[in-house]
Amino acid sequence: MTSSVKRVSIPKNGVDYRGKVVLAPMVRSGELPSRLLALHYGADLVWGPETIDKSMIGTTKRINPLSSTIDYTRTPSNHSRTPGSAVKESYIYRLHPARESRRLIFQIGTSSPSTAVEAAKLVAPHVAGIDVNAGCPKPFSTSGGMGAALLQKPDHLASILSALVKEVGEVFEIGISVKIRLLETAEKTEALVRKLCSTGITGLTIHCRTTPMRPRERAIRDQLHMITDVCRSEGVACVMNGDVKNKDEALQLMQEFGADGAMIATAAEANPSSFRTSEEGGLLPWREVVHEYTKIALEVDNKWGNTKFTLGQLIPGKSEVYKKVTGSKSYIEVCEALGLEHLYEEARGVDDRIGLSQFRDATAVGKAKCKNKSAQAASGRPGAERSIEAETRRPLSERGVGSFNMAV
């Protein structure tokens, strides 16, 4: 007689992390277009970037008919400093129900059960799960008692998870999970994992680094067997994270350490086609990936600053187009630099909608001036251009500007 393996039941609207290779939560690199691109290349699930609970509370939820997205926005707190000017709302979170909703995990930054629940309820109807960030080591997170600071308060972290399970998970029928780091000793890590698994969560991700460690330091997997065993005994799916380079390696590591899933971070930031197996062709050339990303960014009217940042991660620094793209000020300039003529019309439309047309027009004027100078030089009349420039460089008094009649 064989004993059945214990498993926490997966809610109707939730998703089982078992057998999944997923995109890690990353600030800036986990925004909407990056998530859609990862799914396009084969990611099973995607985590959004950590979003602080208090930043979500008080947002306005809107359905965007142009991009088919759900946008959570808020008015900047300093808008009153510029009276009379139009108030531009800030995007706090964006998701695409049709293209990612049932495969999207919303990661929340929190230090309070009540605010965690309040914020999670806003997005719960549109995601497959809520994940608590208990591993971020950066001061902006830990200084507020969030992220890795929660690892030092296991009971408090457990109370946050329990509240989310009861008031969000059970109500909206989605899973609640947590992402942690290794503690100083295996004994402390084991005690923490057991406590968290007893809260009713459906998944636990272990980042195989301690809080003081940085990404450049090699991941530690000595405790991984123990952690996966504890999770399995409690029926909770265990996802491993840290130095996972591609889907093939993810599947191999899952088998080696008994993990239920694996999370890819920096490798996907550099080239999200890392979610393709070798049988599917493996990594694609960066140009193909960049073209696909640009197309998706235009489809969802992505924030310009985020698009520019992401392209800077995807394009090799030594590439001839790197400087052109990172120095561009509009979508049309990016498309011109990348030779994406078929996207010109869409790029101009997005520039107009998000307020980049002024930079596009200024660039066009600058190019026209340069072209005009070149034409005059080619026609043998460079002296005329120089005389105009010399005139504009003369002091105002020498040009008679300062000798007007004050009585006029």
Side-chain angles (χ1 to χ4, degrees):
M1 181 177 177
T2 59
S3 59
S4 59
V5 178
K6 181 180 178 181
R7 285 197 178 192
V8 174
S9 61
I10 305 301
K12 182 180 69 173
N13 299 320
V15 62
D16 195 342
Y17 294 174
R18 294 176 179 84
K20 307 292 195 302
V21 179
V22 307
L23 177 69
M26 294 181 283
V27 176
R28 295 193 289 182
S29 295
E31 296 291 346
L32 179 57
S34 298
R35 301 196 303 265
L36 296 181
L37 189 61
L39 290 171
H40 172 76
Y41 286 128
D44 297 305
L45 300 172
V46 289
W47 264 242
E50 176 193 19
T51 304
I52 308 303
D53 53 7
K54 293 179 181 178
S55 71
M56 280 294 289
I57 297 171
T59 55
T60 299
K61 173 184 169 182
R62 290 194 174 91
I63 308 298
N64 189 324
L66 292 174
S67 59
S68 300
T69 58
I70 296 177
D71 302 339
Y72 294 86
T73 65
R74 71 182 317 127
T75 303
S77 58
N78 63 347
H79 74 276
S80 59
R81 297 177 187 174
T82 54
S85 61
V87 178
K88 188 174 182 180
E89 291 188 319
S90 300
Y91 287 109
I92 303 302
Y93 200 81
R94 304 183 76 206
L95 60 91
H96 199 296
R99 298 171 69 173
E100 66 169 349
S101 185
R102 292 300 100 195
R103 294 180 289 174
L104 171 62
I105 308 300
F106 178 84
Q107 190 182 67
I108 191 170
T110 185
S111 62
S112 161
S114 59
T115 53
V117 167
E118 185 177 357
K121 284 181 176 179
L122 299 174
V123 74
H126 311 293
V127 299
I130 304 292
D131 185 73
V132 172
N133 182 342
C136 180
K138 296 182 180 179
F140 80 84
S141 188
T142 56
S143 62
M146 302 178 290
L150 291 170
L151 299 178
Q152 305 307 316
K153 299 179 179 180
D155 290 336
H156 184 57
L157 174 55
S159 70
I160 293 173
L161 294 173
S162 295
L164 285 168
V165 168
K166 183 177 181 179
E167 300 181 51
V168 180
E170 293 179 4
V171 174
F172 294 92
E173 297 185 278
I174 60 174
I176 305 298
S177 59
V178 64
K179 187 171 186 284
I180 66 172
R181 284 185 175 233
L182 299 172
L183 295 184
E184 298 84 358
T185 66
E187 292 74 20
K188 289 184 177 181
T189 302
E190 180 178 356
L192 175 66
V193 172
R194 288 193 183 279
K195 180 181 288 290
L196 301 184
C197 285
S198 68
T199 61
I201 58 175
T202 58
L204 180 145
T205 299
I206 177 66
H207 185 159
C208 297
R209 291 183 173 91
T210 60
T211 298
M213 293 176 68
R214 292 299 176 259
R216 66 178 178 276
E217 298 179 74
R218 193 168 184 174
I220 302 171
R221 295 179 178 140
D222 297 351
Q223 300 183 38
L224 194 50
H225 277 297
M226 175 270 292
I227 295 169
T228 58
D229 287 344
V230 171
C231 287
R232 188 174 297 107
S233 69
E234 298 294 333
V236 174
C238 181
V239 178
M240 62 174 294
N241 173 223
D243 291 346
V244 182
K245 297 181 180 63
N246 53 55
K247 194 165 191 175
D248 285 334
E249 184 179 65
L251 296 172
Q252 179 265 316
L253 290 170
M254 287 162 59
Q255 184 174 13
E256 179 181 351
F257 291 96
D260 296 300
M263 186 174 272
I264 303 179
T266 53
E269 184 177 44
N271 190 331
S273 66
S274 55
F275 284 104
R276 287 160 45 103
T277 64
S278 56
E279 290 183 357
E280 296 167 331
L283 281 180
L284 291 168
W286 68 263
R287 281 187 178 275
E288 186 171 340
V289 174
V290 165
H291 292 179
E292 187 65 29
Y293 172 82
T294 304
K295 181 174 74 71
I296 294 175
L298 289 169
E299 289 171 353
V300 299
D301 285 12
N302 192 44
K303 294 178 291 186
W304 168 244
N306 178 251
T307 295
K308 189 173 178 179
F309 167 82
T310 306
L311 288 172
Q313 304 302 304
L314 298 175
I315 301 174
K318 294 183 179 180
S319 167
E320 59 182 15
V321 302
Y322 178 82
K323 287 186 177 180
K324 292 181 181 179
V325 170
T326 56
S328 60
K329 296 181 179 180
S330 64
Y331 274 105
I332 188 63
E333 285 187 55
V334 162
C335 290
E336 289 174 348
L338 295 171
L340 303 178
E341 292 89 351
H342 62 291
L343 295 178
Y344 281 5
E345 184 176 351
E346 191 171 357
R348 292 190 184 96
V350 175
D351 284 345
D352 290 340
R353 287 193 294 275
I354 66 176
L356 297 180
S357 55
Q358 56 181 321
F359 300 111
R360 179 190 69 206
D361 296 340
T363 301
V365 170
K367 289 181 178 179
K369 286 183 177 179
C370 291
K371 185 176 181 180
N372 188 44
K373 290 181 181 180
S374 299
Q376 288 191 5
S379 65
R381 297 181 61 251
E385 178 69 20
R386 285 198 297 269
S387 65
I388 294 173
E389 291 181 351
E391 176 66 18
T392 57
R393 286 197 298 268
R394 289 169 56 202
L396 296 178
S397 59
E398 292 183 18
R399 285 185 265 155
V401 176
S403 59
F404 54 86
N405 189 337
M406 292 294 292
V408 173

